[in-house]
Amino acid sequence: MKATGIVRRIDDLGRVVIPKEIRRTMRIREGDPLEIFTDKDGELIFKKYSPIGELTDFAAQICDSLKKTTDGIAAVCDRDSIVAIAGGGKKELLDKPVSAQLGEIMELRSPYRHENGGSSLPVSAMDEKYCVSAAAPVISEGDVMGCVLFISPRGSQPGTELEYKLAQTVAIFLGKQMEA
């Protein structure tokens, strides 16, 4: 754990303000859930909570099934990073932050499909090798939780109609699982 040198006081309602610089760096947005951990030494640790992160093993199984069905690269991400991937790109993409463009797709709450001739959408801000073929946001109780993706190497053929429909189906399924 590294010290920031920033000190804040708790107000009379028990609130503490997380400085804007830290919120921006850690990609914490208004309304984001934070999990609170305590330590026997009196430390409090705030960690961004990811409901999809709780389903990582399940998401990995889904990605494996999608890969076997389509022979493509399938992934599941939360709002911040790729949490599961199958079919390739694991070293380059797993646990990496999603690109700003992919974040915008999630916020639009509608499925995306890369078309021939259109500009490609990067999967991660840290990798230029892969782009999104198809994406469908996972929505649970009205909130965007993440996204189901089909990924292809940059410059390859756009995703198929099957990948587009499968991404939507799996995203709806994951959203329902998180509501249960």
Side-chain angles (χ1 to χ4, degrees):
M1 186 167 30
K2 80 179 168 185
T4 63
I6 300 171
V7 176
R8 292 288 190 255
R9 294 199 182 280
I10 296 176
D11 71 9
D12 58 340
L13 294 176
R15 298 176 296 199
V16 64
V17 174
I18 300 171
K20 187 175 186 176
E21 304 81 38
I22 293 175
R23 292 193 318 264
R24 188 179 322 116
T25 306
M26 302 303 293
R27 300 178 83 177
I28 298 172
R29 296 174 285 274
E30 182 180 328
D32 281 355
L34 298 175
E35 194 169 10
I36 303 169
F37 296 89
T38 59
D39 185 304
K40 62 182 177 233
D41 298 329
E43 293 179 321
L44 290 174
I45 300 168
F46 289 88
K47 182 179 176 189
K48 284 183 71 173
Y49 176 72
S50 169
I52 286 190
E54 299 288 320
L55 299 175
T56 302
D57 293 337
F58 188 57
Q61 291 172 2
I62 286 174
C63 289
D64 285 337
S65 297
L66 291 173
K67 186 252 183 255
K68 288 176 185 171
T69 303
T70 64
D71 203 31
I73 303 171
V76 174
C77 67
D78 62 15
R79 290 178 58 190
D80 297 308
S81 62
I82 308 295
V83 298
I85 189 167
K90 196 173 227 173
K91 185 177 84 173
E92 296 91 346
L93 297 172
L94 188 64
D95 296 325
K96 299 294 189 288
V98 298
S99 67
Q101 297 93 321
L102 182 53
E104 290 172 16
I105 293 294
M106 286 186 259
E107 291 305 316
L108 289 173
R109 298 169 179 256
S110 60
Y112 165 86
R113 181 175 177 198
H114 177 70
E115 300 290 339
N116 262 334
S119 63
S120 58
L121 188 124
V123 177
S124 172
M126 303 180 76
D127 179 78
E128 293 294 320
K129 187 175 172 184
Y130 294 98
C131 63
V132 177
S133 296
V138 176
I139 299 171
S140 177
E141 297 178 354
D143 294 324
V144 176
M145 299 294 165
C147 203
V148 176
L149 309 167
F150 279 95
I151 299 168
S152 59
R154 188 170 299 284
S156 63
Q157 290 295 317
T160 65
E161 181 72 17
L162 175 64
E163 290 174 341
Y164 181 67
K165 293 293 185 185
L166 279 171
Q168 291 175 64
T169 302
V170 172
I172 291 168
F173 178 76
L174 282 174
K176 297 278 186 207
Q177 289 301 302
M178 293 188 340
E179 288 175 3

